[in-house]
Amino acid sequence: MTSSFGRLAAGATVLAAALGTLVTPAHAAETGEAGASNTNITVKSSRGYMIFHDDGDMFSICDTNADGHGVEGQLVDYYTGTTYLYIDDGGDSGCDKKGYNVTGGTHYVMQFWWSGDGVVRKSARFNE
C-alpha cells in the first residue's frame, strides 16, 4: 500500500508542477492571457514595430524604412475600444517612446500600422 500511495503522491506532484508551468508570464503575453508581468510584447511588420516594455510601462515605436511614410500605434481597451495612448514615428532618426501606466483591472491590445496602407496589426490581449 505504501508504494501505491508513494506513486500516487509522486504523480500528483508531477502533475501540479506541469500545470504550474502552463501559465507563466511569457506564456500569458503570447496568448493574451492576463498577467503579462515583466515581459515585452511586440507587434511588427516589414516596415517597423511597436513594443510594450512592462518594466517601466513604456511603449516604443520604430519606423524601419525610409519610404516617405511613418508608422503609428495605439494602446486600446480590449473590450470597449477606448484609446489610452497614441504614438507615431517617421521622418526622424531613432524610435519614439511614451509611457502609460498599464493596470491589472483593464485588458489592453496594441494596434500598429504603416501609414502607407493603414493595415492594422494587433497584439494579443494583455494586462499588468
Side-chain angles (χ1 to χ4, degrees):
M1 266 202 185
T2 304
S3 64
S4 294
F5 179 75
R7 284 193 300 261
L8 181 61
T13 301
V14 170
L15 178 60
L19 290 176
T21 61
L22 289 179
V23 185
T24 63
H27 176 77
E30 292 169 9
T31 62
E33 297 172 8
S37 179
N38 296 319
T39 59
N40 292 335
I41 300 171
T42 305
V43 182
K44 63 184 176 178
S45 75
S46 62
R47 306 199 182 267
Y49 57 90
M50 180 176 177
I51 299 176
F52 167 59
H53 306 277
D54 185 46
D55 186 14
D57 286 353
M58 186 63 64
F59 292 83
S60 300
I61 191 164
C62 298
D63 181 1
T64 57
N65 285 346
D67 56 13
H69 296 282
V71 291
E72 302 173 63
Q74 58 189 13
L75 177 66
V76 177
D77 187 297
Y78 179 79
Y79 293 108
T80 67
T82 302
T83 299
Y84 296 111
L85 171 121
Y86 171 82
I87 186 171
D88 64 350
D89 186 49
D92 61 353
S93 62
C95 302
D96 288 354
K97 295 181 180 184
K98 274 189 185 177
Y100 183 83
N101 185 26
V102 171
T103 65
T106 302
H107 287 91
Y108 304 91
V109 65
M110 290 188 317
Q111 298 178 344
F112 170 83
W113 63 95
W114 174 60
S115 302
D117 65 9
V119 174
V120 177
R121 289 163 177 81
K122 296 181 182 180
S123 72
R125 182 186 72 196
F126 66 97
N127 69 356
E128 189 70 36

